[in-house]
Amino acid sequence: VGQVHNPELAFDGNMISTWLSQTDGVGQWITAYFKTPTRITSVAICNGNCANKFRYENANRVHTMRMTFSDGTSQELTFEQKLNMQRFELPRPVVAEWVKFEILSIWSGTKFFHTPISEIMFNRAASDLPPAPSNAQEPLRGRANNPPLKHP
């Protein structure tokens, strides 16, 4: 039985599990929905397959991504090619019911066609990365613009 790469895997606190785009990633998106409106001050993302260096280098990685909030504001994120969580501080806090992450450009992997995202976290201090206990509200569920991809 193949592994399923559901959107929820990008919000499960596990750096080994991933959401996986159905294409090379450009134009694909994933949305985090919160239980209640949540004040967001920062986002941290482990871009690519962060399970290990081999998987990270072989899979595509996000180069740029647009983060759009339920209030209509947005911010563009530019990633470095490094195997760890990358933290982005918002210019000003946003209260949101959901946050959509759309892949705008990628770095191609050496072997695999798809673009994974291992983890997305909100309101974490740099010292709390990778996953650490937090009072920040985590998304209730995720949704993507592609059906779950089954990986053999």
Side-chain angles (χ1 to χ4, degrees), residues 8-34:
E8 290 84 3
L9 295 175
F11 307 102
D12 65 356
N14 182 348
M15 300 288 280
I16 295 173
S17 64
T18 64
W19 167 70
L20 195 61
S21 68
Q22 197 168 31
T23 66
D24 70 350
V26 176
Q28 297 283 286
W29 53 263
I30 184 170
T31 303
Y33 295 90
F34 299 98

Side-chain angles (χ1 to χ4, degrees), residues 9-66:
L9 295 175
F11 307 102
D12 65 356
N14 182 348
M15 300 288 280
I16 295 173
S17 64
T18 64
W19 167 70
L20 195 61
S21 68
Q22 197 168 31
T23 66
D24 70 350
V26 176
Q28 297 283 286
W29 53 263
I30 184 170
T31 303
Y33 295 90
F34 299 98
K35 293 177 185 175
T36 59
T38 300
R39 185 176 186 264
I40 300 169
T41 57
S42 66
V43 63
I45 300 173
C46 194
N47 165 39
N49 189 326
C50 295
N52 58 50
K53 186 176 179 183
F54 172 80
R55 288 184 180 187
Y56 181 79
E57 291 174 351
N58 279 284
N60 292 346
R61 291 154 320 272
V62 177
H63 180 221
T64 58
M65 171 183 280
R66 181 181 305 113

Side-chain angles (χ1 to χ4, degrees), residues 109-137:
T110 57
K111 186 174 181 180
F112 303 121
F113 177 69
H114 303 287
T115 303
I117 295 177
S118 290
E119 198 61 36
I120 300 174
M121 298 177 165
F122 300 92
N123 302 336
R124 302 283 179 129
S127 60
D128 287 343
L129 302 174
S134 171
N135 292 330
Q137 182 163 346

Side-chain angles (χ1 to χ4, degrees), residues 74-91:
S74 64
Q75 180 175 340
E76 195 167 305
L77 310 176
T78 300
F79 292 86
E80 296 177 34
Q81 289 199 73
K82 58 183 187 178
L83 174 60
N84 64 355
M85 295 291 285
Q86 296 181 53
R87 187 172 182 273
F88 301 90
E89 196 73 33
L90 299 184

